[in-house]
Structures are given as structure tokens and as C-alpha cells.
Amino acid sequence: MEIRKNYINGEWQLALGGASRDVINPANGEVIARVADSTAEDTRQAIAAAHAAFYGKGEWRRMAAPRRAELLHRVADGIKARADELARLDCLDNGKPLREARGDVDDAAACFRYYAGLISVPQGGVYEVSDAFGPMHAYSMHEPIGVCGLITPWNYPLLMATWKLAPALAAGNCVVFKPSELTPLSAVVLFEILHAAGLPAGTANLVLGTGPAAGQLLAESHDVDMVTFTGSTRTGQLIASAAVGNLKKVGLELGGKSPNIIFADADLEGAVEWAMIGVFFNQGEVCSAGSRILIEESIKDAFVARLAERANAMTIGNGLDDPDMGAIVSQGQMDKILAHIERAKQQGARLVCGGERYTEGECARGYFVRPTVFDNCRRDMDLVREEVFGPVVAVQTFRTEAEAIAMANDTPYGLAGGVFTSDGARALRVIREIRAGVTWVNCYNPTFNEAPWGGYKMSGYGRDLGVNGLQEYQQVKQVNINLQPGVLGWYQH
Ligand code: NAD
């Protein structure tokens, strides 16, 4: 089997130590590819390439923004041209349904176009300043940060890569990217596309391997100016502490335990459908998953019955067959989810539906979990406090708006939250009180390239997407020009 390689300084190369690892299809446990299994030595080489490209030749950062934009549009064209292949790869190593993978590919192409457009509009500002020092012209310019290390998780392989690569490159940075070791396949194709688009050598580098072996140096190295990470809160903490050596900028998009609040005056059928998207989309492996449903007591029974009916009707299977729900990414992740389910039962939550591995037919060879609803959940249960990252939802009830808000905020996380109500003023009141970075009213989980994405509290800091997403990868330089050289203003006696 051919080994998928690292891409360093414009060249494809095997890991320096010669090691490689299997990539598994979680729908049937089969090996689908072998990829380079890099160590810190490979990452060091990639960082050196990015460093030389940025601080040496500086071709990319000096390139006029409209020309950079042109290359990013070419990347978007390349993604569209290879859309079927990319969607298939994300489906194969992640397990997600094909139509969801297709949606990710469209979003990825649109994200490159969005940042190509954004870098083409005015970036800095001109300031009217005091003339105390004589007449001055003051302006600011947005410059790239330098060498950026980008690390992503496995749940949206192509999309998470794009959310970081597109703005980092648009801003003129040179990057080293390490995707998850579980889902590296679409990243290899994306780098073929970057290569074909004509990015100068060293501008974008790809290192394949595990976090501790291949990723950690991106946080530690003094030759990296920024590290941006999407993944678990625990790894985010490790990255933040490894990054202090040179005080590099850190961006963290971490986990969540997000509340989905449903009031009795909401459209019940709509709330059920959005709640399904909130917690079963992408097998529930979504950082913003509405994994805590907080529901007004008077409608709880009707809501839970309908939710269970809809969950039980979901088709489960190989992502390539486009079921409602695909495979969990790995045996390890499936085992974690099943352990959460067992603990929830032991701690007294009432299992309404699901609650077990799914093993019908061909699925017996893969890692599938039935969509699971737990009722009668209490705040002290692990299911209510810990991120599961799978198709499992905890239902709790409230009686008043104030109680709902208090329950929603009773978590160390702050990534997302939703509110369902037909009372517009109440929706706005509740949203204002939710301590989370992404919120929805009468919908759950829609995400847009144009709007910022990121967390409060232990869900991290920094923002992906939108204008903020570009600014994360820029630093601002202030320029003050004396229009009358020799004049010193008030300082002159
Ligand atoms: P993870 O933290 O285990 O791994 C994420 C990435 O970090 C992988 O590429 C991994 O190889 C790497 N890594 C692991 N240890 C490292 C280390 N010591 N140094 C450097 N890199 C290291 O997370 P995961 O299991 O891949 O993904 C699931 C988590 O990601 C969930 O907690 C989820 O909430 C979170 N997530 C958050 C967002 C968001 O936008 N907030 C989006 C997607 C996923």
C-alpha cells in the first residue's frame, strides 16, 4: 500500500524515521490507507521550511493581497474539481454520511473564497491624531503573525483544516498543519490542491502523525509565532502551557456541553427536528452539540416521546450508503461513548431509547452507536457535566426562565447554546444571559463562514471564521509619519 506523505517545503516526503501508520474505515474496521507517522524531527523540518519562507524570501507575505486572493480562489476551484473524492475520503476515515461530507466540501470551497474576498478589502485604518508633536499622518496596517502551527481534530477533517488554513494563508502567514491521525486523508488531497494552485515552497507544510509525537513541537517551538488548535479541552490546556516559552499567540477551539433550552410556547415539531440536528448530526461528534436538552416541565413528556420516536426511526450504516447516521470515528471513541452510557444508567438517568452499540448486518464489523436519549437527568450526573462527543443527549426539566438560565450556565464550558420559544423578547433575554460564544434561536447548529465561531470559559478563546477569524492571524502595526520633519511640537523649547 502506498504511503501518504508529508508535504514539506514544496516536496512530498516520507517521515524521516521511515515510520507509517494505518488509517481505518470505522464503518467496517478495514485498513484503507497508510500514512507517514511523523516525529518531532519531521515537524522541526516543516517549521524550519515555514520559517525560511516567511522570514527569508518572504514571497508569500510580500505578495500583493489581490494576487494571494487569486491563488486562494484557485484552491477553491481545486476543491470543487475534486469534490467527490474529498467527500468520499472524509466519509471513509471519519464515518460520516456522504451527503454531510459533501456539504463540508462545499463549505470548505466557500471558506477559501470568503477569505480571498476578505483579504481584498481595506485592512487598516487612518487616524486623526493630535498635533502636539507637529502635523502627523497616522495609519495602521494588518500584517501576518509569522509562522503558524495549526492542529485539528477528526470530526470535520476537511472543514476544520480549512477554517484555519484559509484565513492564516489569506493573511500572509506561513503554516505547518497537523491533522488528526485518525482522519488525515482529505488533508493530503487539500495539500495537492494547494501545491497545484502555486503557493511558494514552504508557505504551507503538512505533517502527518500523532499529537504528542508530531503536534507538540508546534506549541513548544520558539520558531513558531502562533499555534491554533481545535480539539479537546485537556489537549488545549497542554498546548497553552507548552506555548508559554516564547509567548506565542494561542487560539483554542475546545469542547462543550451545550444547553438547548426549549420553552412550552415553542413549535414542538420544529424543536424536535432541530434538537435531532443538534445532537445526532455527524453522529453527535460536534463540539457545539446540544447535548443537554433543558425543557419546560409541562411539555417534557410529549417532547421526549416524539424525540425518541424520531431517533428510533433513524437509519444507521456505512457513510457511503448515506444513512441518517454513520459510524463513530474509532473503536476507542465508541468505547468511550458506551462507557458514558453505562455510567449514566448507573447514576440513575432513565434510558428512553438507544443506549447500545448498533450491530445489524455489516455494521457488526464497524463502530456504531444507536441514537440515545436519557431522561430524568440531574446536574450532578457525569452525563450532564462531561462532553460525550457521540449521539447521546441528557434531558432535564425547568419551571421558570430564571431556572433555565441558571441550568444552562451550570457548566465549565461555554461553546454554544440554543433557545426555542415563540416569544421574541424572551429569546433575546435568554440569549443575553447564556455564557457561550455561539447561540441559536429556534434553530440549532447552522454555521456560516461569514460569522465568528468560538467559545467562552473552558471552551477556549480566539475565533474561527468571519472577520474575526482573519484578524486572529494578523497583527496590527501603527505607523506615524511626521509631515514636517524637524518640527518637534510641544517638546521644542
Ligand atoms: P484531541 O484533543 O484528542 O486531538 C485534537 C488534535 O490535537 C489531534 O490532531 C491530535 O493529534 C492533536 N494532539 C493531541 N495531543 C497533542 C499534544 N500533546 N500536542 C499537540 N497536539 C496534540 O481531540 P479529538 O479527540 O481529535 O477531537 C474531539 C474534541 O475536539 C472534542 O472535545 C471536541 O469538542 C473538540 N472540537 C472542538 C471544536 C470547536 O470548534 N470548538 C470543533 C471540533 C472539535
Side-chain angles (χ1 to χ4, degrees):
M1 205 177 258
E2 192 203 341
I3 298 170
R4 310 287 215 284
K5 298 181 177 126
N6 292 331
Y7 180 75
I8 298 176
N9 207 23
E11 309 273 345
W12 293 98
Q13 62 180 59
L14 293 170
L16 293 170
S20 61
R21 56 188 294 120
D22 290 338
V23 179
I24 308 286
N25 177 355
N28 54 25
E30 283 172 11
V31 176
I32 42 173
R34 278 194 80 75
V35 295
D37 194 11
S38 309
T39 66
E41 285 316 303
D42 299 282
T43 309
R44 203 181 312 283
Q45 206 184 51
I47 292 170
H51 201 268
F54 189 87
Y55 290 101
K57 227 168 157 196
E59 206 181 335
W60 184 247
R61 72 180 160 86
R62 290 197 181 102
M63 193 181 280
R67 171 98 181 100
R68 277 208 305 271
E70 201 181 304
L71 290 188
L72 295 179
H73 276 299
R74 236 182 262 165
V75 174
D77 293 342
I79 291 174
K80 283 302 230 185
R82 298 180 72 176
D84 284 346
E85 182 187 0
L86 283 164
R88 241 183 104 77
L89 289 175
D90 267 8
C91 184
L92 275 175
D93 62 13
N94 170 274
K96 65 176 67 198
L98 193 55
R99 71 185 178 291
E100 293 186 17
R102 288 212 174 99
D104 295 351
V105 175
D106 288 346
D107 284 353
C111 188
F112 272 99
R113 290 203 202 288
Y114 173 74
Y115 282 109
L118 204 57
I119 201 65
S120 310
V121 303
Q123 298 292 313
V126 176
Y127 302 95
E128 294 291 335
V129 291
S130 119
D131 60 359
F133 291 91
M136 293 273 171
H137 176 64
Y139 69 93
S140 65
M141 52 197 292
H142 289 191
E143 297 192 321
I145 287 180
V147 175
C148 300
L150 319 175
I151 305 173
T152 55
W154 43 257
N155 60 338
Y156 285 91
L158 179 68
L159 207 52
M160 292 296 106
T162 300
W163 284 16
K164 299 203 182 300
L165 281 163
L169 291 173
N173 297 283
C174 290
V175 306
V176 179
F177 171 53
K178 195 209 81 67
S180 166
E181 59 274 29
L182 297 177
T183 55
L185 300 182
S186 58
V188 174
V189 172
L190 182 59
F191 271 72
E192 288 171 6
I193 291 168
L194 290 169
H195 179 83
L199 264 72
T203 303
N205 304 275
L206 171 70
V207 180
L208 304 171
T210 65
Q216 178 93 10
L217 192 67
L218 294 176
E220 287 171 354
S221 171
H222 290 208
D223 285 335
V224 175
D225 303 295
M226 173 176 185
V227 62
T228 157
F229 167 79
T230 299
S232 62
T233 294
R234 179 72 203 114
T235 311
Q237 289 170 322
L238 290 176
I239 290 197
S241 63
V244 295
N246 67 334
L247 292 178
K248 63 172 62 65
K249 186 171 180 184
V250 180
L252 299 174
E253 301 281 346
L254 309 176
K257 191 78 208 179
S258 301
N260 184 3
I261 306 172
I262 300 165
F263 287 93
D265 64 357
D267 167 55
L268 190 75
E269 196 57 28
V272 168
E273 293 308 307
W274 282 111
M276 300 269 296
I277 291 176
V279 76
F280 299 138
F281 193 77
N282 208 50
Q283 298 73 243
E285 297 162 331
V286 180
C287 50
S288 55
S291 55
R292 289 188 291 142
I293 290 178
L294 311 180
I295 187 146
E296 196 162 343
E297 201 174 73
S298 59
I299 58 161
K300 194 262 284 183
D301 288 343
F303 179 89
V304 168
R306 182 69 182 133
L307 184 65
E309 189 185 340
R310 293 285 293 111
N312 281 329
M314 287 182 89
T315 56
I316 303 174
N318 188 323
L320 289 178
D321 298 332
D322 218 10
D324 292 333
M325 208 166 76
I328 302 299
V329 72
S330 65
Q331 168 140 29
Q333 185 64 18
M334 178 185 72
D335 291 344
K336 263 191 223 165
I337 295 168
L338 294 173
H340 272 290
I341 289 173
E342 281 318 304
R343 253 204 334 270
K345 287 184 200 160
Q346 283 160 18
Q347 292 177 1
R350 184 175 78 89
L351 180 64
V352 181
C353 68
E356 59 187 3
R357 186 174 177 178
Y358 178 82
T359 54
E360 296 288 309
E362 287 286 294
C363 291
R365 293 159 62 216
Y367 319 126
F368 296 86
V369 176
R370 286 183 190 275
T372 300
V373 178
F374 276 105
D375 192 4
N376 296 349
C377 295
R378 297 185 315 269
R379 67 177 297 276
D380 59 311
M381 290 177 177
D382 292 344
L383 188 67
V384 170
R385 311 221 64 79
E386 294 175 13
E387 185 181 49
V388 175
F389 223 58
V392 185
V393 66
V395 179
Q396 295 170 270
T397 53
F398 65 83
R399 287 196 186 139
T400 65
E401 184 178 311
E403 198 188 350
I405 291 167
M407 288 166 78
N409 289 331
D410 183 17
T411 170
Y413 294 112
L415 186 56
V419 178
F420 286 80
T421 173
S422 54
D423 177 343
R426 169 150 68 191
L428 295 183
R429 271 198 311 271
V430 173
I431 288 293
R432 276 165 76 138
E433 292 302 318
I434 293 184
R435 304 290 300 156
V438 186
T439 56
W440 292 282
V441 176
N442 292 333
C443 61
Y444 203 99
N445 261 346
T447 303
F448 306 99
N449 287 324
E450 298 79 7
W453 177 276
Y456 286 12
K457 296 159 72 178
M458 287 187 82
S459 294
Y461 42 79
R463 290 294 176 268
D464 281 330
L465 302 181
V467 176
N468 306 68
L470 180 66
Q471 289 172 349
E472 287 292 316
Y473 296 97
Q474 294 176 319
Q475 48 200 342
V476 179
K477 175 181 282 177
Q478 185 191 144
V479 184
N480 303 302
I481 301 168
N482 184 357
L483 296 175
Q484 265 180 287
V487 174
L488 296 179
W490 65 266
Y491 189 69
Q492 206 164 28
H493 291 287

